[in-house]
Every structure is written in structure tokens, then in C-alpha cells.
Amino acid sequence: MFPRSKFSITSWATVCTSLLLAAIVSRLALAQQTMAERVRGSATVSTSQVKGEVVQVEGNDLLVKLSTGDLKTFHVPETRKFHIDGRELSVHDLQPGTTLTATVKTTTTPVTVRTRSRLSGRVWFVAAPNVILTLPDGQNKQYIVKEEDNVRFTIEGRPATVFDLRKGMTVSAEKIVEAPDVEITADTSVVGHAPALQAAAPRPGVTPPAAPTTGALPLPTPAAPDTAAPAAPRPAAPETTTATPAQPAAPETTTPTAAQPTAPETGGTGTSLLLWLSVIAMIIIVIVIVARRKSAKQ
């Protein structure tokens, strides 16, 4: 039973300590509050252009040679799009030599940051412009209140100054601090043109098929007469042979080749000897046969 009661006492002490700390923090928060607001003025818009040529692209890093001759590196986000020759490209699609024109629309808005700090406490000591307040957490804190600090005191709901404070008064103070600031937003659009070399590269690739078509135009025209009339090459032959006078002799040589039997008659020196020898041989054979028969009868 004793250990249990000791544990309950310890737990209650912990709970009470937590509640006390929470109360102190809440009172301190109520005693000293800070709020900030931003008061925007009239905005001004300016437009500028930056021109350059792509030198190198690696990942999302883009190296551009500006029109001034300077080299500048840009880290381009994935959401940035480039309008190149009417096409929407990402930074990974850019090629060296691509010309870029970036139009930057900058909106500048003046802003006044107004901070309101509020606190409350009891006057422990005052000797304007010095005042020491006892805050709700029991701590004494000294403040030097200047006219330019724009500090407003309230005593029992009535406005007051640091010179109206007296020891023992419960007061609340509000300090307003204004600081100038600027908000700048930029809207950038980038257009450009592909490099001239790349634009000309596809053209030679297209002209080779165009060149054969122009050279092939005369080829189908002779092919049509060849298929339509086989006699077409014959007149073409004399047209080509007109340059050489030996061509008419070609048909003369072809005519004797057609009359092959006249060849032995015209060139009969070799063949006539063979014929005469064969005739003489036949006569000799006949004479020998007749002589044998006569001898056989006798």
C-alpha cells in the first residue's frame, strides 16, 4: 500500500507542475503578443529581353552565350518550356546553336511590414523614458521608450504616454514597427529558332531523292517507246552509226554469212582438190574391181 500511495503523490505533483507551467506560458502569451501584417502598395510592371545562343546543355544546366558576349549558366526547372519554331520543347531538347529570346515581365510591389507587439504588466519603476514592468511571469523587464518607437500605453482603457505612468499601475503597451519590403514576381517566356545548320541538314537529305527524280525523268520516257515499239532502237542504231562510216559494211558482211553455200563456190581451191582426189580415188577403185572380175572369169 505504501509504494502505491507514494506513486500517486508523485503523479499528482507532476500534474500540478505541468498545469502551473501551462498557466505561466498562457499568461505570458497573453501578456506579450506579436502580430505581423503586410500592407501592399501599388505595383509597377517592367519588361526586359535577354537574347543568347545555346552553347551546351547538360541535365537541367543550360550554358548560354548572351548577346553581350558573356557566358551565363542557368539551372532550368522541368516545368520551363521553350517555344522553338512553333514547337514546345524542354531544356533537354535544346541543341547547341539554338537562338533564344527570353522576355521577362517583372512585377515589383512595395510592401510595408507592420509588426504589432503587445504586452501587459505592473509598473515597478518609472523614470521617463525608462520604465521597468513586472510581467505576469514575475520577471522585471526594463524598456526605454522613445518617441520614434511609436509605443502606445493604455491605463484602465485610457490612452497614455510613458510620462503618465506611475509605480504600481497596471498598464498594457502596444508597439508598432513598420519596415519597408519589396515583393518581386517574374513571368518569363522563351522563344527561339533551331540552328541554321540543322535546318539545312534535312534539306540535303530531301534533295537526293529529288535529284534522282529529275535525272530519272528522261529514263522512263525512252523506256516507254522501247516497250511500245521494238523498231525504235533500229532507227536509233543508224543514228548512232551515222557517226561511223564502217556501220554500213556491217550489214554487207552479214549478207554473205546468210549465203553460206556460196562460200565453198567462191573459195573452192581447197575443197575442189578434195573433190578431184575423191573422184580419182573412186575411178581407181572401180578400175581395180573391174580388173579383178575379168581375171576371175579367165
Side-chain angles (χ1 to χ4, degrees), residues 86-237:
R87 296 183 301 163
E88 192 175 76
L89 304 179
S90 65
V91 64
H92 309 292
D93 301 322
L94 298 180
Q95 299 296 329
T98 303
T99 58
L100 301 177
T101 301
T103 302
V104 183
K105 182 179 179 181
T106 305
T107 303
T108 305
T109 305
V111 178
T112 301
V113 181
R114 183 174 297 167
T115 304
R116 297 176 181 269
S117 299
R118 295 177 182 177
L119 59 85
S120 61
R122 184 180 295 275
V123 178
W124 186 78
F125 175 82
V126 58
N130 297 293
V131 60
I132 300 175
L133 296 179
T134 302
L135 302 180
D137 60 353
Q139 294 183 1
N140 292 335
K141 191 170 182 179
Q142 182 180 356
Y143 299 94
I144 299 176
V145 183
K146 299 179 181 179
E147 294 182 1
E148 60 270 17
D149 289 341
N150 195 15
V151 178
R152 302 173 184 175
F153 291 93
T154 303
I155 303 174
E156 296 179 355
R158 296 179 289 105
T161 65
V162 66
F163 299 98
D164 298 329
L165 301 182
R166 299 291 182 270
K167 182 178 176 62
M169 288 184 174
T170 301
V171 300
S172 61
E174 181 184 40
K175 183 179 180 180
I176 301 176
V177 179
E178 294 183 350
D181 196 3
V182 178
E183 288 183 354
I184 300 176
T185 58
D187 184 12
T188 305
S189 61
V190 183
V191 297
H193 299 284
L197 292 178
Q198 289 188 354
R203 292 178 185 173
V206 177
T207 50
T213 52
T214 55
L217 287 175
L219 294 177
T221 51
D226 288 341
T227 55
R234 294 179 183 175

Side-chain angles (χ1 to χ4, degrees), residues 6 22 47 60 152 163 246 254 262:
K6 184 177 181 181
T47 303
N60 291 77
R152 302 173 184 175
F163 299 98
T254 54
T262 58

Side-chain angles (χ1 to χ4, degrees), residues 228-247:
R234 294 179 183 175
E239 288 175 3
T240 55
T241 54
T242 52
T244 58
Q247 286 298 331

